[in-house]
Amino acid sequence: MRSFALGFIPLQLLLLMLMGFPSRLAAEEEMGLWDCVEAAVTGHIAVKAGRWRVEQARNTVEQDRTLFKPDFSFGAHYTANSYVPKIPLPGRNLPLGGHNDAGISIEAGHLLYDWGGRRDKLKADQDQQQSSFESLRALRETLAFEAGAGYLRLLAARSERKIAERSVETADEHYRHLQALGSSGLLTYDEVLKGRVHLEQARLMLSRSANAEKLARSELLLRIGVPLTSAAEFADSAGQIPQPLPSESRLDSALARRPELAAYDSRLASLESMAAGLASENKPVLRLFANGNVARPGIDQFRNEWIGYGRAGIGMSWSFFDWGRKDYAVAKLKAQWEETLANRRILGQQIALEVQQASLTAEEAGERISVAHSGLEAAEEQFRIVRSRFEQGQVTNTQFIDAEDAQTISAIEVTRAELDLGLARWQLAYATGELTARIDERWAEKQTDERQDNH
């Protein structure tokens, strides 16, 4: 029986690793485990949506940086047929000014000092950007795990289908042999019927395993973000799965590498900066301003001519009482901070449990696969002996069918044990953050924000 190897690196996969894993394989090439991971973490529509969230956060940071720069405004007005009062004089009325009013104004302003409010807002949004970036990494981590698990299930389903095919071939050959014996009068009809039933059961198992393989393939295509109508082909070997770390360092590695925890840390820092920014709003701010106006006031002058004037200075504003609105906002942020901290602690405990479960499952799966291979070897030898004796007429038809069933069941058990071992190692790589480290090495997302100190 052909099964997928978990610790063996095919030459083609090794070459792909050395070449840096091209982003898109040719259509005629078979996709391996890491090709599926690459498709999931680079081309899945969910990843594209996550990148747009990071881009939105980056734009918010850039918008915050403009708060440290001066602002400019321009205004213009024109009023036609304005009311013009007149001074009554003997024989005539003297109009004051003209009928039109027009003006142009230009103003520049710059916030000199705000007790760190702008700085805190910038830092809060930078931390939020980092949080969105870490959330994107966590999303890619999850997609990679699901893609790898789907690929391993496809290999197992394919192996079971091949086992079923061999079982049908054996059952069909046996049934033809029984028919020949029955026609010669050397076997009763009920034994021939038993052989036909065995063949029909084998065909039913083949139909089920074929359907299971189709469903596993469709699920894998869904996990890697490829349409179900795709003609993509997949290899027969899982290739390299990251080896588990020493048990004493697994939890520390998980807590340091898992991007979900990093996202929580950035969110906590963002909430702290937002609270500090709100607190600064209770203090006065200083603003530098300069403006100039050119206007034709109309009714303001007898001669109705254009005049210009300007001013410059420093202004102070202070919202010293707001009925506690800022205090309530700070308290709300504090509650969000406490909730986020609690959720982070819960996640840390869940990760610790995941690491422990994955470690124990991997150890158990390693022991099970050894037993499964021994069972298959025994079943194959038993069926070889029974088959030989049946041809010599020394064992019954029932014994032949039972031996063949035992061999098929043992082969399926090996396939499922190998699947469980592959999934256990894949789960351990996910839980300890090793999978994220491999993704970052090969297909890292670039953090576009470079933090700058603005005062």
Side-chain angles (χ1 to χ4, degrees):
M1 185 193 73
R2 185 178 184 182
S3 61
F4 55 92
L6 298 176
F8 176 72
I9 306 178
L11 178 59
Q12 181 184 10
L13 180 61
L14 180 59
L15 291 175
L16 288 175
M17 291 172 61
L18 294 176
M19 293 168 59
F21 282 79
S23 60
R24 182 67 62 184
L25 295 178
E28 63 273 8
E29 293 183 353
E30 294 181 338
M31 298 181 67
L33 173 66
W34 290 102
D35 299 318
C36 294
V37 170
E38 178 185 9
V41 302
T42 60
H44 199 285
I45 190 171
V47 173
K48 295 179 181 179
R51 287 173 180 152
W52 281 114
R53 285 193 291 271
V54 175
E55 179 66 16
Q56 293 176 29
R58 187 191 71 81
N59 289 332
T60 300
V61 170
E62 294 302 322
Q63 183 181 22
D64 291 342
R65 288 194 172 119
T66 64
L67 298 176
F68 294 88
K69 300 178 180 179
D71 53 83
F72 303 89
S73 62
F74 171 82
H77 70 274
Y78 176 78
T79 304
N81 298 322
S82 61
Y83 172 72
V84 180
K86 298 179 181 180
I87 299 176
L89 297 174
R92 66 186 184 93
N93 293 326
L94 178 64
L96 292 175
H99 293 280
N100 301 319
D101 184 9
I104 297 174
S105 63
I106 298 176
E107 182 170 352
H110 181 59
L111 183 59
L112 293 178
Y113 189 70
D114 63 348
W115 301 91
R118 292 171 296 173
R119 184 190 65 243
D120 292 331
K121 185 178 187 307
L122 174 60
K123 185 177 183 305
D125 288 334
Q126 285 177 327
D127 290 327
Q128 188 60 38
Q129 180 188 4
Q130 184 65 28
S131 177
S132 64
F133 177 76
E134 297 296 342
S135 297
L136 174 58
R137 292 181 63 226
L139 172 64
R140 282 162 36 105
E141 175 191 54
T142 301
L143 291 173
F145 172 76
E146 292 178 349
Y151 182 80
L152 294 175
R153 292 190 182 99
L154 173 61
L155 295 188
R158 183 182 294 174
S159 295
E160 290 195 21
R161 190 257 304 162
K162 292 178 179 178
I163 293 171
E165 287 177 348
R166 289 195 295 271
S167 180
V168 168
E169 292 174 0
T170 302
D172 183 62
E173 179 184 351
H174 181 61
Y175 177 56
R176 292 179 184 278
H177 183 59
L178 293 179
Q179 284 181 315
L181 292 176
S183 300
S184 302
L186 301 176
L187 198 65
T188 59
Y189 183 62
D190 65 311
E191 293 294 330
V192 177
L193 286 179
K194 186 180 294 184
R196 188 177 73 181
V197 170
H198 179 62
L199 174 59
E200 292 174 352
Q201 290 175 340
R203 287 173 175 168
L204 178 60
M205 184 177 70
L206 175 59
S207 177
R208 289 175 177 173
S209 60
N211 290 337
E213 181 183 4
K214 292 178 182 177
L215 290 176
R217 184 180 186 278
S218 298
E219 180 182 0
L220 176 56
L221 291 173
L222 179 65
R223 298 304 180 192
I224 64 178
V226 176
L228 299 184
T229 56
S230 171
E233 296 294 336
F234 300 96
D236 290 329
S237 173
Q240 183 188 34
I241 293 179
Q243 294 297 315
L245 298 170
S247 57
E248 62 272 9
S249 63
R250 290 176 186 171
L251 181 56
D252 294 339
S253 171
L255 298 178
R257 289 179 170 180
R258 290 288 289 269
E260 300 96 322
L261 292 176
Y264 272 109
D265 291 336
S266 297
R267 207 170 304 153
L268 288 169
S270 176
L271 291 172
E272 291 176 351
S273 297
M274 290 172 63
L278 283 176
S280 66
E281 293 183 8
N282 286 325
K283 301 176 181 178
V285 297
L286 296 178
R287 183 177 181 84
L288 178 67
F289 67 90
N291 57 48
N293 297 274
V294 177
R296 187 178 182 182
I299 63 173
D300 291 342
Q301 297 188 93
F302 287 99
R303 301 178 61 179
N304 194 25
E305 61 185 9
W306 289 91
I307 63 173
Y309 57 93
R311 59 178 184 153
I314 296 178
M316 185 189 76
S317 62
W318 185 15
S319 178
F320 61 90
F321 185 71
D322 62 356
W323 300 95
R325 285 193 296 269
K326 295 183 183 68
D327 294 334
Y328 293 136
V330 171
K332 180 180 177 180
L333 290 175
K334 176 63 176 176
Q336 293 178 1
W337 187 90
E338 293 290 349
E339 179 186 6
T340 303
L341 179 61
N343 289 334
R344 189 201 183 282
R345 290 174 177 171
I346 292 173
L347 178 59
Q349 294 172 350
Q350 291 175 345
I351 290 176
L353 180 60
E354 286 179 8
V355 172
Q356 184 181 31
Q357 289 177 334
S359 300
L360 295 176
T361 303
E363 293 175 6
E364 180 182 345
E367 296 172 356
R368 177 186 167 194
I369 197 170
S370 177
V371 175
H373 277 292
S374 298
L376 175 59
E377 183 180 358
E380 288 177 337
E381 178 63 19
Q382 177 67 20
F383 178 64
R384 186 189 66 79
I385 295 173
V386 171
R387 186 171 192 171
S388 176
R389 290 180 178 179
F390 178 79
E391 293 173 353
Q392 299 172 8
Q394 297 178 2
V395 298
T396 65
N397 179 42
T398 301
Q399 290 174 310
F400 179 94
I401 293 175
D402 289 344
E404 199 279 331
D405 285 342
Q407 176 186 250
T408 300
I409 293 173
S410 296
I412 293 176
E413 174 62 21
V414 169
T415 295
R416 293 179 178 175
E418 289 178 336
L419 171 63
D420 290 342
L421 178 58
L423 289 176
R425 289 182 175 177
W426 194 246
Q427 177 68 39
L428 184 57
Y430 170 79
T432 58
E434 180 68 18
L435 181 57
T436 298
R438 299 295 180 91
I439 294 172
D440 288 342
E441 289 174 1
R442 298 171 181 177
W443 312 287
E445 287 286 337
K446 297 186 183 302
Q447 173 63 286
T448 57
D449 176 54
E450 295 181 0
R451 299 196 175 192
Q452 300 176 0
D453 291 330
N454 293 287
H455 301 283

